Structures are given as structure tokens and as C-alpha cells.
Amino acid sequence: MKFMKSLVVASAITAGFLANSVQAGTLDAVKEKGYVNAGVSGKVIGFSAPDAKGNWTGMDVDFARAVAAAIFDDPAKARFTPVAFKEAFTALQSGEIDLLTRNTTWTFQRDTKLGLEFVGTLFYDGQGFMVKKELGVKSALELDGASVCTQSGTTTELNISDYFTAKGMTYKPVVYESADEATVIYDTGRCDVYTTDTSGLAARRTTLGNPKDHIILPEVISKEPLGPAVRQGDQQWSDIVRWTLFALINAEEMGITSKNVDEKLKSNNPAVKRFLGVDADFGQYLGLSADWAYRIIKHVGNYGELYERNVGPNTALGLERGVNALWTDGGLMYAPPVR
């Protein structure tokens, strides 16, 4: 009898969960207007940047397209709104955008005080330093007394202050409102050093007059987990965005790519069949179709594909996987299983 009572309670909980999962919220609003509106950085090569024809490319862009693919079976149903750093959080809070995929660091205050929810880490990064080769500097420990360009209002300001203080060094801050301004000032020689996330340094270096004349120093002085954020209070929407990220990572771990995903539909591996919705419907818990994960990988690819085509060794940024490799390859990319 106790067992039967437990089943009744469990069934009631499940029914309640499913009812809550389809309540009106961001998903319904997105479906009604027919697209996902993602806030992105204005121009960060490899992460979000429009080409000469206005077509957006980059990891952050591809992630938004993956969310659109999960919902609409069409990655083109993602639209992009460039948001400056100081406007990004307000744009999300106000509902101007549905999702913030701008390369933004997940911090305590942003995740709690600002009413945002970071759903995971798309790219593990850390703050570094770029200098001209002609200075002959090989280490950040040689930067005592240097003038340092950076963007105001970002985590880089506090990080650099902490670093120089801890090392007993001094520096002259040269702070500008935008990363574009700071990059120009650095390139024209009005400061000795440019500092931001190392991925940002690699992206900014491609825009300099002579990129090969600049080096990124080996020191990484902070933790900068960059990831997508949504508004707090809409569990269904945060789950959709979170599990889109997990789907990208799980697909790479299982060897499912945009090229072989159709063949994988015939797999005898139970985990693969569950993931692709062949003999299970996990999409119902997200308010999506059973093949939500299949749609993501078919249209956008897995995490490794996103990385390689946007920031990998064969791109302008030339970044090795490093800590962004799968956990099975010594990296930090790890996702809960679909089961």
C-alpha cells in the first residue's frame, strides 16, 4: 500500500511539473514572434561579429542559433542585437532580448544581485596581457610602471588592480568606455599594454595594423567563465538554454556530429537513442519536440565543431582547446547526461 501511495504522489508531482513547464513565459513569447533575439557583442572576432554582408558569425552567435534550432528546427530563426557592456544586463532584464550570449563573465553579483541566471560556461577564459614585441617583455612580472589600456566597468579593472598590488608593482590605468576605443589607443602607442580576456586579446590582435608585431604574455591572472545568461524566474526557458549547451557538449563526447547525426539515428547505443529522441521523449520536459537535440546537432554541430570553426587553431584566433577540451581529454567541458 505504501508503494502504491508513493506512486500516486510521484505521479502528481510529475503532472504538476509538466503543467508548470508549459506555462506562459519566454518560450511562448519567442514562438509567438517567431524568433529568438540574442544580445551579442558588437564585434569580437570568433565570438560575435558581422561580416561585410551583415551575416553574424562566432561561437556566441552559433550558440543562439542552436537555441533557435532546438525550438524552431531552424537556426535562421535567431536574430542578433549588439549590446554594449554597460547596456547588456539592462537589455536582458527589460525583455529587449531573450538571451544574452555576449562574451560575459559569470560572477557572483551578476548571477544574484542583477536578477540574471547564467546557465553554464560556453568558454573558459582568463585575463591576460598583450604588448608590442619591440618592448622585449616576456612576462607580466616585467610590467612594473607600465601604462595599461582596458575597458571601464568590466571585471578587468578589479583584476588588474588586484594583480599588480599582489605582485608589489605599480601601473598607470588608461581606461576607455569601449573595447574598440581601448584597442585603438593601444595600437597607436598611447599605452604600453592592453588587457582583457585572452580570447578577447586574440580577437583584438587580428584588428591591429600589424598583428604579428604583438604578443600575448603567458600569464593568466583570473578566472573568466564566459557563458549565456537569461532572466531569473523562468525555469522552463533557463532549462532550454542550459540543456542546449549540455547537448552540444554531450554530442561531442558521444561522437555525434552534424555530418553523421542522421546515421547515428540508427545506432544501437541506448544513450545515443535517448539523446536523439529515437525511443524517448525528453523534449516534453522542456516544452520542445522529442528530437530537440537532433535539431541542434544537425543544424549547428557539436561543441567541438563550434570551437574549431570559430576560434580553433585553423582560424584567425588560432586558439588550442586547452581547458575548453572535453573532460575526457583533460579539459573542463563536462555535461550531465540525458537520461
Side-chain angles (χ1 to χ4, degrees), residues 84 97 148 177 223 227 257 263 275-276:
I97 56 177
V148 183
E177 286 293 317
K223 294 184 293 183
T257 70
E263 185 64 27
F275 180 76
L276 296 177

Side-chain angles (χ1 to χ4, degrees), residues 236-258:
Q236 181 187 34
W237 184 245
S238 63
D239 282 345
I240 289 171
V241 179
R242 178 180 298 107
W243 280 94
T244 294
L245 174 59
F246 290 160
L248 293 169
I249 298 169
N250 276 321
E252 183 181 11
E253 184 179 339
M254 291 189 286
I256 306 172
T257 70
S258 58

Side-chain angles (χ1 to χ4, degrees), residues 245-314:
L245 174 59
F246 290 160
L248 293 169
I249 298 169
N250 276 321
E252 183 181 11
E253 184 179 339
M254 291 189 286
I256 306 172
T257 70
S258 58
K259 294 181 179 179
N260 70 16
V261 66
D262 287 323
E263 185 64 27
K264 290 289 185 178
L265 291 172
K266 306 171 187 175
S267 173
N268 292 321
N269 185 325
V272 172
K273 293 170 71 175
R274 281 196 303 270
F275 180 76
L276 296 177
V278 174
D279 61 0
D281 184 3
F282 284 89
Q284 65 180 308
Y285 304 110
L286 299 173
L288 302 179
S289 65
D291 64 345
W292 64 278
Y294 166 86
R295 293 176 171 188
I296 292 171
I297 309 309
K298 178 65 176 179
H299 292 298
V300 183
N302 63 34
Y303 181 83
E305 290 178 275
L306 265 67
Y307 192 100
E308 293 303 320
R309 70 168 168 261
N310 290 302
V311 302
N314 296 319

Side-chain angles (χ1 to χ4, degrees), residues 160-172:
I160 192 173
S161 176
D162 288 351
Y163 180 77
F164 274 77
T165 299
K167 299 299 181 183
M169 302 190 302
T170 61
Y171 72 101
K172 178 184 176 182

